[in-house]
Protein backbone atom coordinates (compact mmCIF):
# COMPACT_ATOMS: atom_id res chain seq x y z
CA UNK A 1 0.00 0.00 0.00
CA UNK A 2 1.40 3.38 -0.99
CA UNK A 3 2.14 5.63 1.96
CA UNK A 4 2.20 9.07 0.36
CA UNK A 5 1.54 10.89 -2.89
CA UNK A 6 4.69 11.64 -4.88
CA UNK A 7 5.48 13.96 -7.78
CA UNK A 8 5.24 11.09 -10.24
CA UNK A 9 1.75 10.25 -9.00
CA UNK A 10 0.52 13.74 -9.84
CA UNK A 11 1.98 13.43 -13.33
CA UNK A 12 0.10 10.16 -13.83
CA UNK A 13 -3.18 11.69 -12.58
CA UNK A 14 -2.85 14.71 -14.88
CA UNK A 15 -2.08 12.59 -17.93
CA UNK A 16 -5.00 10.28 -17.13
CA UNK A 17 -7.59 13.00 -16.62
CA UNK A 18 -6.56 15.48 -19.31
CA UNK A 19 -8.31 13.57 -22.13
CA UNK A 20 -11.42 13.24 -19.96
CA UNK A 21 -11.57 16.99 -19.35
CA UNK A 22 -11.25 17.64 -23.07
CA UNK A 23 -13.68 14.98 -24.28
CA UNK A 24 -16.31 14.85 -21.55
CA UNK A 25 -18.30 18.01 -22.51
CA UNK A 26 -19.17 16.38 -25.83
CA UNK A 27 -20.82 13.40 -24.09
CA UNK A 28 -22.20 15.06 -20.94
CA UNK A 29 -25.80 13.83 -20.50
CA UNK A 30 -28.53 16.41 -20.91
CA UNK A 31 -30.54 17.47 -17.82
CA UNK A 32 -33.21 14.88 -17.23
CA UNK A 33 -31.50 12.35 -19.49
CA UNK A 34 -32.66 8.78 -19.20
CA UNK A 35 -30.68 5.77 -18.14
CA UNK A 36 -29.81 4.88 -21.74
CA UNK A 37 -28.17 8.26 -22.40
CA UNK A 38 -26.32 8.13 -19.08
CA UNK A 39 -25.00 4.65 -19.84
CA UNK A 40 -23.89 5.75 -23.29
CA UNK A 41 -22.04 8.72 -21.76
CA UNK A 42 -20.40 6.45 -19.18
CA UNK A 43 -19.39 4.11 -21.99
CA UNK A 44 -17.57 6.90 -23.79
CA UNK A 45 -15.96 8.04 -20.53
CA UNK A 46 -14.73 4.49 -19.81
CA UNK A 47 -13.25 4.28 -23.29
CA UNK A 48 -11.38 7.58 -22.87
CA UNK A 49 -10.07 6.61 -19.45
CA UNK A 50 -9.15 3.12 -20.66
CA UNK A 51 -7.06 4.42 -23.53
CA UNK A 52 -5.46 7.02 -21.24
CA UNK A 53 -4.50 4.28 -18.78
CA UNK A 54 -3.06 2.15 -21.58
CA UNK A 55 -0.93 5.00 -22.93
CA UNK A 56 0.26 6.22 -19.51
CA UNK A 57 1.11 2.63 -18.59
CA UNK A 58 3.26 2.45 -21.71
CA UNK A 59 5.00 5.68 -20.70
CA UNK A 60 5.91 4.16 -17.33
CA UNK A 61 7.84 1.38 -19.08
CA UNK A 62 10.60 3.86 -19.98
CA UNK A 63 12.88 2.81 -17.02
CA UNK A 64 15.18 5.83 -16.94
CA UNK A 65 17.71 5.81 -14.08
CA UNK A 66 16.74 8.57 -11.67
CA UNK A 67 13.14 8.82 -12.84
CA UNK A 68 12.13 6.12 -10.36
CA UNK A 69 12.86 8.55 -7.52
CA UNK A 70 9.82 10.60 -8.56
CA UNK A 71 7.65 7.57 -7.84
CA UNK A 72 9.36 6.08 -4.80
CA UNK A 73 11.40 3.44 -6.60
CA UNK A 74 11.28 1.27 -9.71
CA UNK A 75 9.25 -1.51 -8.03
CA UNK A 76 6.56 1.07 -7.33
CA UNK A 77 6.61 2.21 -10.98
CA UNK A 78 6.09 -1.40 -12.07
CA UNK A 79 3.19 -1.67 -9.62
CA UNK A 80 1.62 1.44 -11.12
CA UNK A 81 2.30 0.04 -14.59
CA UNK A 82 0.46 -3.19 -13.74
CA UNK A 83 -2.45 -1.36 -12.10
CA UNK A 84 -2.86 0.88 -15.14
CA UNK A 85 -2.74 -2.11 -17.49
CA UNK A 86 -5.42 -3.95 -15.56
CA UNK A 87 -7.51 -0.77 -15.19
CA UNK A 88 -7.26 -0.15 -18.95
CA UNK A 89 -8.55 -3.65 -19.67
CA UNK A 90 -11.50 -3.32 -17.25
CA UNK A 91 -12.39 0.18 -18.49
CA UNK A 92 -12.33 -0.87 -22.13
CA UNK A 93 -14.57 -3.84 -21.29
CA UNK A 94 -16.96 -1.42 -19.53
CA UNK A 95 -16.74 0.85 -22.58
CA UNK A 96 -18.14 -1.96 -24.72
CA UNK A 97 -20.80 -3.09 -22.23
CA UNK A 98 -22.13 0.36 -21.34
CA UNK A 99 -22.34 1.46 -24.97
CA UNK A 100 -24.32 -1.68 -25.75
CA UNK A 101 -26.69 -1.15 -22.81
CA UNK A 102 -27.09 2.48 -23.82
CA UNK A 103 -28.52 1.33 -27.18
CA UNK A 104 -30.58 -1.52 -25.71
CA UNK A 105 -33.76 0.59 -25.09
CA UNK A 106 -33.92 1.21 -28.85
CA UNK A 107 -33.82 -2.50 -29.61
CA UNK A 108 -31.63 -5.55 -28.99
CA UNK A 109 -30.57 -5.35 -32.63
CA UNK A 110 -29.36 -1.77 -32.13
CA UNK A 111 -27.29 -2.84 -29.12
CA UNK A 112 -25.66 -5.60 -31.17
CA UNK A 113 -25.02 -3.14 -34.03
CA UNK A 114 -23.17 -0.81 -31.64
CA UNK A 115 -20.58 -3.42 -30.67
CA UNK A 116 -20.66 -5.63 -33.77
CA UNK A 117 -21.34 -3.28 -36.70
CA UNK A 118 -20.89 -4.15 -40.39
CA UNK A 119 -17.29 -4.69 -41.44
CA UNK A 120 -17.10 -1.32 -43.18
CA UNK A 121 -17.11 0.30 -39.71
CA UNK A 122 -13.40 -0.34 -39.43
CA UNK A 123 -12.79 1.83 -36.34
CA UNK A 124 -14.92 -0.45 -34.16
CA UNK A 125 -13.26 -3.63 -35.41
CA UNK A 126 -9.83 -2.06 -34.85
CA UNK A 127 -10.94 -1.51 -31.26
CA UNK A 128 -11.86 -5.19 -30.97
CA UNK A 129 -8.38 -6.06 -32.23
CA UNK A 130 -6.83 -3.93 -29.49
CA UNK A 131 -8.98 -5.62 -26.84
CA UNK A 132 -8.08 -9.11 -28.09
CA UNK A 133 -4.36 -8.32 -27.94
CA UNK A 134 -4.76 -6.88 -24.43
CA UNK A 135 -6.38 -10.09 -23.26
CA UNK A 136 -3.46 -12.11 -24.63
CA UNK A 137 -0.63 -10.07 -23.12
CA UNK A 138 -2.33 -9.31 -19.81
CA UNK A 139 -3.32 -12.92 -19.07
CA UNK A 140 0.21 -14.00 -18.02
CA UNK A 141 0.94 -10.67 -16.33
CA UNK A 142 -1.96 -11.16 -13.94
CA UNK A 143 -1.35 -14.91 -13.71
CA UNK A 144 -4.76 -15.93 -15.00
CA UNK A 145 -3.23 -19.32 -15.86
CA UNK A 146 -0.55 -19.54 -13.15
CA UNK A 147 2.82 -17.84 -12.82
CA UNK A 148 4.37 -17.41 -16.30
CA UNK A 149 7.86 -18.25 -17.48
CA UNK A 150 9.84 -14.99 -17.46
CA UNK A 151 10.98 -15.02 -21.07
CA UNK A 152 7.57 -16.16 -22.33
CA UNK A 153 6.02 -13.30 -20.42
CA UNK A 154 8.46 -10.84 -21.97
CA UNK A 155 7.69 -12.04 -25.50
CA UNK A 156 3.93 -11.92 -24.97
CA UNK A 157 4.25 -8.48 -23.41
CA UNK A 158 5.55 -7.15 -26.73
CA UNK A 159 1.94 -7.44 -27.94
CA UNK A 160 1.24 -4.39 -25.79
CA UNK A 161 2.78 -2.23 -28.54
CA UNK A 162 0.34 -3.18 -31.35
CA UNK A 163 -2.46 -3.20 -28.75
CA UNK A 164 -2.05 0.44 -27.82
CA UNK A 165 -1.41 1.42 -31.46
CA UNK A 166 -4.73 -0.19 -32.44
CA UNK A 167 -6.50 1.42 -29.49
CA UNK A 168 -5.02 4.78 -30.49
CA UNK A 169 -6.17 4.31 -34.10
CA UNK A 170 -9.66 3.40 -32.84
CA UNK A 171 -9.81 6.64 -30.84
CA UNK A 172 -8.50 9.08 -33.42
CA UNK A 173 -10.91 7.72 -36.04
CA UNK A 174 -13.88 8.49 -33.78
CA UNK A 175 -13.05 11.61 -31.73
CA UNK A 176 -12.82 15.29 -32.58
CA UNK A 177 -9.85 16.17 -30.37
CA UNK A 178 -7.31 13.88 -31.98
CA UNK A 179 -4.35 16.22 -31.36
CA UNK A 180 -4.31 15.38 -27.65
CA UNK A 181 -4.29 11.65 -28.39
CA UNK A 182 -1.44 12.16 -30.82
CA UNK A 183 0.54 13.88 -28.07
CA UNK A 184 -0.05 11.12 -25.54
CA UNK A 185 0.71 8.43 -28.10
CA UNK A 186 3.97 10.19 -29.01
CA UNK A 187 5.07 10.08 -25.36
CA UNK A 188 4.13 6.40 -25.11
CA UNK A 189 5.97 5.53 -28.33
CA UNK A 190 9.04 7.49 -27.19
CA UNK A 191 9.07 5.55 -23.90
CA UNK A 192 8.83 2.19 -25.65
CA UNK A 193 11.41 3.24 -28.25
CA UNK A 194 13.88 4.15 -25.51
CA UNK A 195 13.17 1.01 -23.52
CA UNK A 196 13.39 -1.51 -26.39
CA UNK A 197 15.70 0.10 -28.96
CA UNK A 198 17.83 2.94 -27.59
CA UNK A 199 18.42 1.91 -23.97
CA UNK A 200 20.29 -1.34 -24.82
CA UNK A 201 22.69 0.76 -26.91
CA UNK A 202 22.88 4.07 -25.05
CA UNK A 203 21.74 3.38 -21.49
CA UNK A 204 23.98 0.48 -20.51
CA UNK A 205 27.52 0.35 -19.12
CA UNK A 206 30.07 -2.14 -20.45
CA UNK A 207 31.78 -4.30 -17.82
CA UNK A 208 33.86 -7.46 -17.64
CA UNK A 209 33.47 -10.32 -15.17
CA UNK A 210 36.55 -9.88 -12.99
CA UNK A 211 35.94 -12.65 -10.44
CA UNK A 212 33.32 -15.15 -9.28
CA UNK A 213 33.46 -15.95 -5.56
CA UNK A 214 31.44 -18.83 -4.13
CA UNK A 215 29.68 -17.82 -0.89
CA UNK A 216 27.66 -21.00 -0.35
CA UNK A 217 25.98 -23.72 -2.36
CA UNK A 218 24.19 -21.97 -5.26
CA UNK A 219 25.28 -18.50 -4.10
CA UNK A 220 28.10 -16.43 -5.62
CA UNK A 221 29.33 -12.88 -5.59
CA UNK A 222 30.35 -11.62 -9.02
CA UNK A 223 32.87 -8.79 -9.28
CA UNK A 224 32.58 -6.60 -12.38
CA UNK A 225 35.25 -4.26 -13.73
CA UNK A 226 34.35 -1.34 -16.04
CA UNK A 227 35.43 -1.36 -19.68
CA UNK A 228 34.61 2.30 -20.20
CA UNK A 229 32.11 4.61 -18.56
CA UNK A 230 31.60 3.35 -15.01
CA UNK A 231 28.30 3.35 -13.16
CA UNK A 232 28.05 5.12 -9.81
CA UNK A 233 25.54 3.99 -7.22
CA UNK A 234 24.34 4.47 -3.65
CA UNK A 235 24.13 1.78 -0.99
CA UNK A 236 21.04 -0.40 -1.31
CA UNK A 237 20.42 0.24 -5.00
CA UNK A 238 20.04 -2.41 -7.69
CA UNK A 239 20.79 -2.74 -11.38
CA UNK A 240 19.94 -4.85 -14.41
CA UNK A 241 22.67 -7.26 -15.48
CA UNK A 242 22.94 -8.65 -19.03
CA UNK A 243 25.66 -11.31 -19.46
CA UNK A 244 27.16 -12.13 -22.85
CA UNK A 245 29.15 -15.24 -21.90
CA UNK A 246 28.67 -17.65 -24.85
CA UNK A 247 29.13 -20.59 -22.48
CA UNK A 248 26.09 -19.84 -20.36
CA UNK A 249 23.40 -22.51 -20.42
CA UNK A 250 20.65 -19.91 -19.88
CA UNK A 251 20.21 -16.17 -19.61
CA UNK A 252 22.73 -15.09 -22.26
CA UNK A 253 21.67 -11.67 -23.56
CA UNK A 254 18.83 -11.49 -21.01
CA UNK A 255 18.57 -8.70 -18.45
CA UNK A 256 17.65 -9.46 -14.83
CA UNK A 257 17.66 -7.25 -11.70
CA UNK A 258 20.21 -7.85 -8.96
CA UNK A 259 21.01 -5.85 -5.84
CA UNK A 260 24.45 -4.25 -5.73
CA UNK A 261 26.58 -5.49 -2.83
CA UNK A 262 29.62 -3.25 -3.34
CA UNK A 263 30.06 0.03 -1.48
CA UNK A 264 29.57 3.31 -3.31
CA UNK A 265 32.83 4.61 -4.72
CA UNK A 266 34.50 1.23 -5.27
CA UNK A 267 36.41 0.75 -8.52
CA UNK A 268 34.37 -2.38 -9.23
CA UNK A 269 30.69 -3.32 -8.97
CA UNK A 270 29.80 -6.45 -6.99
CA UNK A 271 26.52 -8.36 -6.93
CA UNK A 272 25.46 -11.32 -4.80
CA UNK A 273 23.43 -13.82 -6.82
CA UNK A 274 21.50 -16.85 -5.60
CA UNK A 275 20.34 -19.57 -8.00
CA UNK A 276 16.60 -18.89 -8.01
CA UNK A 277 15.88 -19.48 -11.71
CA UNK A 278 17.50 -20.61 -14.94
CA UNK A 279 19.39 -17.34 -15.54
CA UNK A 280 20.66 -16.87 -11.97
CA UNK A 281 21.60 -20.55 -11.80
CA UNK A 282 23.66 -20.22 -14.98
CA UNK A 283 25.45 -17.17 -13.57
CA UNK A 284 26.92 -19.34 -10.81
CA UNK A 285 29.45 -20.53 -13.43
CA UNK A 286 29.85 -17.39 -15.55
CA UNK A 287 33.34 -17.21 -17.03
CA UNK A 288 35.75 -14.54 -15.70
CA UNK A 289 36.88 -12.25 -18.50
CA UNK A 290 33.58 -12.37 -20.39
CA UNK A 291 31.56 -9.27 -21.19
CA UNK A 292 28.45 -8.08 -19.39
CA UNK A 293 26.36 -4.93 -19.53
CA UNK A 294 24.72 -3.25 -16.58
CA UNK A 295 21.92 -0.69 -16.50
CA UNK A 296 21.01 1.55 -13.60
CA UNK A 297 21.25 2.18 -10.78
CA UNK A 298 17.68 2.09 -9.50
CA UNK A 299 16.03 2.33 -6.12
CA UNK A 300 16.41 4.46 -3.02
CA UNK A 301 16.26 1.90 -0.23
CA UNK A 302 18.32 3.83 2.33
CA UNK A 303 17.10 7.29 1.29
CA UNK A 304 13.55 7.08 2.65
CA UNK A 305 14.15 8.28 6.20
CA UNK A 306 15.75 10.84 8.50
CA UNK A 307 19.45 10.19 7.66
CA UNK A 308 20.77 10.49 11.23
CA UNK A 309 18.07 8.45 12.98
CA UNK A 310 19.34 5.15 14.37
CA UNK A 311 18.60 2.21 12.10
CA UNK A 312 17.72 -1.48 12.43
CA UNK A 313 18.33 -3.77 9.45
CA UNK A 314 16.78 -7.20 8.89
CA UNK A 315 18.30 -9.26 6.09
CA UNK A 316 17.43 -12.81 5.10
CA UNK A 317 18.51 -15.08 2.25
CA UNK A 318 19.96 -13.19 -0.69
CA UNK A 319 18.09 -10.18 0.71
CA UNK A 320 21.20 -9.53 2.79
CA UNK A 321 22.89 -7.90 -0.22
CA UNK A 322 21.64 -4.29 0.21
CA UNK A 323 22.84 -4.44 3.81
CA UNK A 324 26.24 -5.77 2.73
CA UNK A 325 26.49 -2.70 0.49
CA UNK A 326 25.47 -0.50 3.42
CA UNK A 327 27.96 -2.14 5.78
CA UNK A 328 30.78 -1.83 3.26
CA UNK A 329 29.87 1.84 2.85
CA UNK A 330 30.20 2.31 6.62
CA UNK A 331 33.56 0.53 6.55
CA UNK A 332 34.90 3.05 4.05
CA UNK A 333 34.03 5.91 6.43
CA UNK A 334 34.90 4.78 9.98
CA UNK A 335 33.01 6.78 12.59
CA UNK A 336 30.57 8.23 10.08
CA UNK A 337 26.88 7.55 9.66
CA UNK A 338 24.05 6.77 12.09
CA UNK A 339 24.04 3.96 14.64
CA UNK A 340 23.07 0.73 12.86
CA UNK A 341 22.14 -2.72 14.17
CA UNK A 342 21.93 -5.56 11.63
CA UNK A 343 20.03 -8.74 12.50
CA UNK A 344 20.80 -11.42 9.95
CA UNK A 345 18.07 -14.08 9.71
CA UNK A 346 19.49 -17.33 8.31
CA UNK A 347 18.30 -20.91 8.35
CA UNK A 348 21.65 -22.33 9.52
CA UNK A 349 25.32 -21.29 9.60
CA UNK A 350 26.19 -22.44 6.07
CA UNK A 351 23.41 -20.16 4.68
CA UNK A 352 24.69 -17.04 6.44
CA UNK A 353 26.41 -15.49 3.43
CA UNK A 354 28.80 -12.62 4.22
CA UNK A 355 28.50 -13.10 8.00
CA UNK A 356 32.24 -13.31 8.65
CA UNK A 357 32.81 -10.09 6.72
CA UNK A 358 29.93 -8.35 8.48
CA UNK A 359 31.33 -9.29 11.89
CA UNK A 360 34.74 -7.95 10.84
CA UNK A 361 33.19 -4.66 9.75
CA UNK A 362 31.30 -4.45 13.07
CA UNK A 363 34.53 -4.94 15.03
CA UNK A 364 36.11 -1.96 13.27
CA UNK A 365 33.16 0.44 13.27
CA UNK A 366 31.84 2.03 16.48
CA UNK A 367 28.34 2.62 15.08
CA UNK A 368 27.69 -0.77 13.47
CA UNK A 369 26.66 -4.04 15.11
CA UNK A 370 25.92 -7.34 13.33
CA UNK A 371 23.97 -10.18 14.97
CA UNK A 372 22.84 -13.53 13.64
CA UNK A 373 19.63 -15.50 14.25
CA UNK A 374 19.41 -19.11 13.08
CA UNK A 375 15.93 -20.45 12.33
CA UNK A 376 17.25 -23.98 12.73
CA UNK A 377 18.12 -23.33 16.39
CA UNK A 378 15.49 -20.80 17.53
CA UNK A 379 12.57 -20.95 15.11
CA UNK A 380 11.12 -17.67 13.82
CA UNK A 381 12.71 -14.55 15.29
CA UNK A 382 10.71 -13.06 18.15
CA UNK A 383 10.49 -9.69 19.86
CA UNK A 384 12.57 -10.84 22.82
CA UNK A 385 15.54 -11.69 20.58
CA UNK A 386 15.27 -8.38 18.74
CA UNK A 387 15.06 -6.34 21.95
CA UNK A 388 18.06 -8.16 23.39
CA UNK A 389 20.15 -6.54 20.68
CA UNK A 390 18.05 -3.44 19.93
CA UNK A 391 15.96 -2.40 22.97
CA UNK A 392 14.93 0.91 21.38
CA UNK A 393 13.47 -0.61 18.20
CA UNK A 394 10.37 1.67 18.32
CA UNK A 395 12.68 4.66 17.83
CA UNK A 396 14.56 3.26 14.84
CA UNK A 397 14.18 3.42 11.08
CA UNK A 398 13.75 -0.22 10.12
CA UNK A 399 14.76 -1.81 6.83
CA UNK A 400 13.72 -5.30 5.75
CA UNK A 401 14.83 -7.30 2.72
CA UNK A 402 14.35 -11.04 2.35
CA UNK A 403 11.88 -13.78 1.42
CA UNK A 404 8.16 -12.84 1.46
CA UNK A 405 7.45 -15.08 4.47
CA UNK A 406 10.16 -13.38 6.50
CA UNK A 407 8.94 -9.93 5.55
CA UNK A 408 5.33 -10.80 6.44
CA UNK A 409 6.40 -12.23 9.82
CA UNK A 410 8.49 -9.16 10.69
CA UNK A 411 5.80 -6.70 9.60
CA UNK A 412 3.32 -8.28 12.01
CA UNK A 413 5.87 -8.56 14.82
CA UNK A 414 7.01 -4.95 14.51
CA UNK A 415 3.45 -3.66 14.31
CA UNK A 416 2.56 -5.46 17.55
CA UNK A 417 5.74 -4.06 19.12
CA UNK A 418 4.50 -0.53 18.47
CA UNK A 419 6.79 0.47 15.59
CA UNK A 420 5.10 3.15 13.42
CA UNK A 421 4.38 1.82 9.91
CA UNK A 422 6.03 4.84 8.33
CA UNK A 423 9.39 3.84 9.80
CA UNK A 424 9.39 0.36 8.26
CA UNK A 425 10.92 0.13 4.77
CA UNK A 426 10.96 -2.98 2.59
CA UNK A 427 12.47 -3.80 -0.77
CA UNK A 428 11.19 -6.35 -3.28
CA UNK A 429 11.74 -7.13 -6.97
CA UNK A 430 8.51 -8.91 -7.92
CA UNK A 431 8.13 -7.20 -11.31
CA UNK A 432 5.86 -9.67 -13.06
Amino acid sequence: MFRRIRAGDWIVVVLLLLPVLVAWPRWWPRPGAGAAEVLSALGHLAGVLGLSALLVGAMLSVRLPGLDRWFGGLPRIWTLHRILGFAAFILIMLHVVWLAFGALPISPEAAIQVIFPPLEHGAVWIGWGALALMLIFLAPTFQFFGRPHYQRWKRLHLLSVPAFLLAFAHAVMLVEHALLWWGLAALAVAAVLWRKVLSPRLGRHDYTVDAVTALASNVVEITLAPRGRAMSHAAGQFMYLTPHDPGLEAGRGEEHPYTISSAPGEDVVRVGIKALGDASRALQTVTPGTAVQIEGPYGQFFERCEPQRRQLWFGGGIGITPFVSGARALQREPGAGPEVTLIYLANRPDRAYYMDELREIAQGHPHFDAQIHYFQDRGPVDEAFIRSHCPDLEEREIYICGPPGMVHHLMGLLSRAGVPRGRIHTEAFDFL
Side-chain angles (χ1 to χ4, degrees), residues 51 167-179 181-182:
L51 179 57
F168 164 72
H170 169 78
V172 297
M173 293 172 71
L174 296 174
V175 302
E176 295 177 354
H177 305 284
L179 185 60
W181 289 121
W182 277 103

Side-chain angles (χ1 to χ4, degrees), residues 141-183:
T141 298
F142 294 100
Q143 302 181 28
F144 294 158
F145 308 107
R147 188 169 181 85
H149 183 273
Y150 180 73
Q151 289 306 318
R152 188 179 304 118
W153 168 80
K154 288 192 70 173
R155 289 192 293 270
L156 280 176
H157 213 64
L158 292 174
L159 293 176
S160 62
V161 177
F164 87 69
L165 290 176
L166 288 176
F168 164 72
H170 169 78
V172 297
M173 293 172 71
L174 296 174
V175 302
E176 295 177 354
H177 305 284
L179 185 60
L180 176 60
W181 289 121
W182 277 103

Side-chain angles (χ1 to χ4, degrees), residues 410-424:
L410 285 172
M411 293 295 288
L413 186 157
L414 294 170
S415 176
R416 292 188 296 273
V419 178
R421 179 63 183 86
R423 289 189 184 171
I424 304 174

Side-chain angles (χ1 to χ4, degrees), residues 8-322:
D9 302 329
W10 289 113
I11 295 173
V12 168
V13 170
V14 169
L15 291 174
L16 282 174
L17 295 183
L18 188 58
V20 175
L21 297 176
V22 173
W24 182 245
R26 177 187 175 193
W27 295 310
W28 187 270
R30 298 167 300 172
E37 187 174 343
V38 171
L39 282 171
S40 181
L42 288 174
H44 286 104
L45 173 63
V48 170
L49 269 176
L51 179 57
S52 296
L54 191 62
L55 294 176
V56 175
M59 295 175 203
L60 291 180
S61 69
V62 64
R63 209 174 79 189
L64 280 172
L67 182 65
D68 57 315
R69 294 172 180 268
W70 296 9
F71 295 84
L74 191 60
R76 193 168 183 274
I77 290 182
W78 285 142
T79 299
L80 285 171
H81 174 79
R82 290 196 295 181
I83 290 172
L84 287 171
F86 188 70
F89 178 72
I90 296 300
L91 286 166
I92 291 173
M93 290 292 293
L94 290 173
H95 168 65
V96 174
V97 172
W98 282 340
L99 286 180
F101 273 98
L104 191 59
I106 301 174
S107 70
E109 291 77 12
I112 294 174
Q113 284 287 322
V114 167
I115 56 177
F116 297 115
L119 292 178
E120 57 264 25
H121 294 264
V124 176
W125 291 104
I126 287 174
W128 276 113
L131 185 57
L133 289 175
M134 287 185 67
L135 181 61
I136 294 171
F137 81 77
L138 285 177
T141 298
F142 294 100
Q143 302 181 28
F144 294 158
F145 308 107
R147 188 169 181 85
H149 183 273
Y150 180 73
Q151 289 306 318
R152 188 179 304 118
W153 168 80
K154 288 192 70 173
R155 289 192 293 270
L156 280 176
H157 213 64
L158 292 174
L159 293 176
S160 62
V161 177
F164 87 69
L165 290 176
L166 288 176
F168 164 72
H170 169 78
V172 297
M173 293 172 71
L174 296 174
V175 302
E176 295 177 354
H177 305 284
L179 185 60
L180 176 60
W181 289 121
W182 277 103
L184 292 177
L187 290 174
V189 169
V192 174
L193 182 65
W194 167 260
R195 177 72 187 84
K196 296 298 183 181
V197 179
L198 299 179
S199 177
R201 295 167 174 79
L202 304 177
R204 294 179 178 176
H205 304 261
D206 294 320
Y207 275 71
T208 299
V209 176
D210 189 58
V212 180
T213 304
L215 302 177
S217 174
N218 293 323
V219 182
V220 297
E221 182 176 72
I222 299 177
T223 302
L224 306 173
R227 289 188 288 134
R229 180 172 55 100
M231 182 190 75
S232 60
H233 68 89
Q237 290 190 298
F238 67 96
M239 66 183 192
Y240 278 81
L241 172 67
T242 304
H244 298 288
D245 181 356
L248 288 179
E249 294 183 0
R252 179 171 176 263
E254 297 176 4
E255 56 178 21
H256 292 269
Y258 298 103
T259 303
I260 302 167
S261 59
S262 51
E266 288 191 43
D267 294 333
V268 296
V269 172
R270 292 183 275 178
V271 288
I273 299 177
K274 183 177 181 180
L276 297 172
D278 292 343
S280 56
R281 186 173 296 107
L283 282 173
Q284 306 296 304
T285 57
V286 68
T287 306
T290 56
V292 300
Q293 290 180 305
I294 62 177
E295 182 181 332
Y298 301 101
Q300 49 182 141
F301 191 32
F302 289 121
E303 299 177 27
R304 295 176 285 186
C305 73
E306 173 60 41
Q308 293 306 313
R309 182 176 286 139
R310 288 170 293 181
Q311 299 177 13
L312 173 59
W313 300 349
F314 290 99
I318 200 62
I320 194 64
T321 45

